[in-house]
Amino acid sequence: MQILHIDSAITGDASVTRQLTAKIVARLNADGDATVIYRDLNQGVPAIDTAWFEAIRVGVEEPTPAHQDRVATSDTLLGEVQAADVLVIGLPVYNFSLPGQLKNWLDQIARAGVSFRYTAAGPEGLLTGKRAFIAYAAAGTPMGSDMDHASGYLRHMLGFVGITDVTFVAADGLAFDRDAAMARAQASLDQIAA
């Protein structure tokens, strides 16, 4: 099994999502047989831009170094997802939504003809047969509430590229009762089987 472990929190070792993703990966890799690829999106994920659009979507005849750089970055990020059997993604909620670097990563991997395609019946995800575990943490945004613009969006985007087996481990309400939030998250962790 190959696990892609993705963190995106800006709070370093104090991050609840980083703690939860590490626990999820450890649980999934209890026998030590998995290959784990780690990517910290807080180290930087470029936003898509005109050079990305020209290189990836249009396909310029004579690519510049900027075009080549955009393709290489996107290919690397998408290749990690394609090779993974399981994705473990940290989803800290900032201002009711996901971090910009996680949005940038999603934009990099959502590529027509590679990770999804349009059909007469609508879009079809091409990254099927994978599981995803999402570590959701929020100080005051309850998961699934009207204020939560993070979990539904991430679930939708993963489904859009074909990853529909998605499990959330949520530690929400941390600002109100941290112990209770962590206990709920641990109960969800205890349900995860490798």
Side-chain angles (χ1 to χ4, degrees):
M1 172 172 57
Q2 184 152 314
I3 300 170
L4 177 56
H5 178 178
I6 298 172
D7 281 324
S8 60
I10 61 174
T11 52
D13 293 339
S15 164
V16 170
T17 59
R18 288 177 186 273
Q19 295 167 27
L20 292 175
T21 60
K23 288 180 179 181
I24 294 168
V25 169
R27 187 158 183 94
L28 293 171
N29 193 24
D31 60 10
D33 291 340
T35 300
V36 180
I37 304 299
Y38 180 73
R39 179 156 300 271
D40 185 350
L41 302 182
N42 193 46
Q43 299 301 311
V45 178
I48 59 174
D49 59 8
T50 301
W52 184 95
F53 178 78
E54 291 171 349
I56 301 289
R57 298 295 293 274
V58 177
V60 294
E61 288 184 28
E62 295 183 28
T64 66
H67 292 129
Q68 294 168 348
D69 179 60
R70 300 313 189 276
V71 170
T73 298
S74 187
D75 283 351
T76 297
L77 296 171
L78 182 54
E80 291 172 352
V81 178
Q82 290 170 319
D85 301 299
V86 178
L87 286 74
V88 177
I89 302 172
L91 176 58
V93 177
Y94 302 142
N95 301 318
F96 314 106
S97 192
L98 64 164
Q101 55 271 25
L102 184 53
K103 170 70 165 75
N104 290 348
W105 177 80
L106 290 166
D107 287 343
Q108 290 284 352
I109 68 164
R111 288 176 48 186
V114 184
S115 59
F116 72 93
R117 66 180 171 200
Y118 292 111
T119 71
E124 175 186 4
L126 301 175
L127 302 178
T128 58
K130 302 174 188 304
R131 294 186 297 165
F133 294 89
I134 313 301
Y136 177 101
T141 304
M143 192 175 96
S145 70
D146 289 344
M147 293 187 292
D148 171 18
H149 300 285
S151 66
Y153 178 76
L154 183 54
R155 181 188 295 275
H156 173 80
M157 285 302 298
L158 291 173
F160 182 72
V161 297
I163 304 169
T164 57
D165 184 352
V166 179
T167 301
F168 281 85
V169 173
D172 53 359
L174 288 162
F176 307 111
D177 191 340
R178 184 180 183 86
D179 291 341
M182 295 306 289
R184 287 191 304 273
Q186 186 60 51
S188 294
L189 276 166
D190 292 342
Q191 301 300 313
I192 295 175

